[in-house]
Amino acid sequence: MKTKFYKSSKTLALGMSLLFGVTSGTAQDGSQLFQTNCAACHKTTDGKLVGPGMAGITEKRSTEWLKSWIKDSQAMIASGDPDAKAISAEYNNMVMPPFTQFSGAEMDALITYLGTLGAGSGTDTAQMVDIVYSDVEIAEGKKYFTGEKSFFNGGPSCISCHDVSADGVVGGYLAKDLTDVYARLGEAGIMAMITNAPFPAMNSAYKNNPVSGPEQKSLSAFLKSVSANQPENRSSSVITFLAYGFGGFFVLLILIMLIWNKRKKHSVKEQIFARQIRSIN
Ligand code: HEC
Ligand code: HEC
């Protein structure tokens, strides 16, 4: 029994080392690393997705700069590096996740791969197009978002982790509110996120139950409608809130003044005191 266990754990260890051997072997492949870790946010062309396109990046930045940026961009921004600060400001201080897990060899493979994406790797203007969705797509997207309609492959509905400001939607708080996400990421960004989220919780939710293209498109339609309806709604509701607030405040003030005016002009104690003074004199 004991030896059997020993043997099987030895096999397990061997299996594990093989597995790790294999993963670190493929991980040397910079293109593969890019696909799994970066492609949700970066295109290999000069087109914007969540972050800037990577075409020509090794001509724009030095290898050392790229390595420290990829490892921990926030630390680099905090250190005051002018290029890091500028690119972060250009993207509204959006945070790129740190990649501290890469080995030296993996980082080199990634940079080598980035080097193959020369400045001429393609121009991309798809993001600039204002996509017009039908009401049907928007309504479908809302159903998928809230779970009223299930995804074909059975992944969880977005509402289990995300909220948006829209009528009849009360979502989860595990992850970010998605009200303004369309304005920031656009359809391509949202679809890239759903396909290959760089966040473990969301990624594992859909890894084995991918959301289909048309389902993603309708979600994007819904998120666009939410995003587009927001700014006026929000500012007008703030004004209404303030108006009610001030109105209420003045009504209260008037009530207090009325009540105050009705009270006795002098307190009872004052009258007793006055009588006592008189009796002493
Ligand atoms: C969740 C989205 C996200 C992921 C994943 C991501 N990035 Fe970024 N990246 C950004 C954003 C946004 C910026 C723009 C700067 C900022 O706001 O921090 C950026 C900026 C960059 C820059 C600087 C570009 C310039 O013009 O200087 C490089 C280089 C970069 N990313 C490489 C990578 C690599 C390589 C990976 C994968 C290992 C990766 N990024 C993963 C979002 C992401
Ligand atoms: C299991 C939980 C979970 C589910 C389900 C889920 N997400 Fe996410 N999502 C996350 C997490 C975690 C993040 C990372 C951002 C954060 O920390 O809030 C994220 C980020 C995002 C982002 C990027 C947000 C940004 O501001 O950059 C988008 C877009 C997004 N999710 C869309 C969706 C859509 C659409 C669905 C439904 C198909 C969905 N998510 C389902 C957990 C989830």
Side-chain angles (χ1 to χ4, degrees), residues 33-34 37-42 50-52 54 57 60-61 65-66 69-70 73-74 77 83 87-89 91-97 99 102 110 114 193 198-199:
L33 277 173
F34 187 84
N37 297 287
C38 324
C41 298
H42 295 288
V50 180
M54 288 290 107
I57 190 68
K60 185 175 165 198
R61 310 284 189 210
W65 191 95
L66 287 173
W69 173 270
I70 296 166
S73 61
Q74 290 299 303
I77 295 162
D83 290 332
I87 189 80
S88 165
Y91 283 80
N92 301 318
N93 304 319
M94 195 188 289
V95 176
M96 171 172 140
F99 293 90
F102 291 155
L110 190 59
L114 290 177
M193 282 284 176
F199 318 106

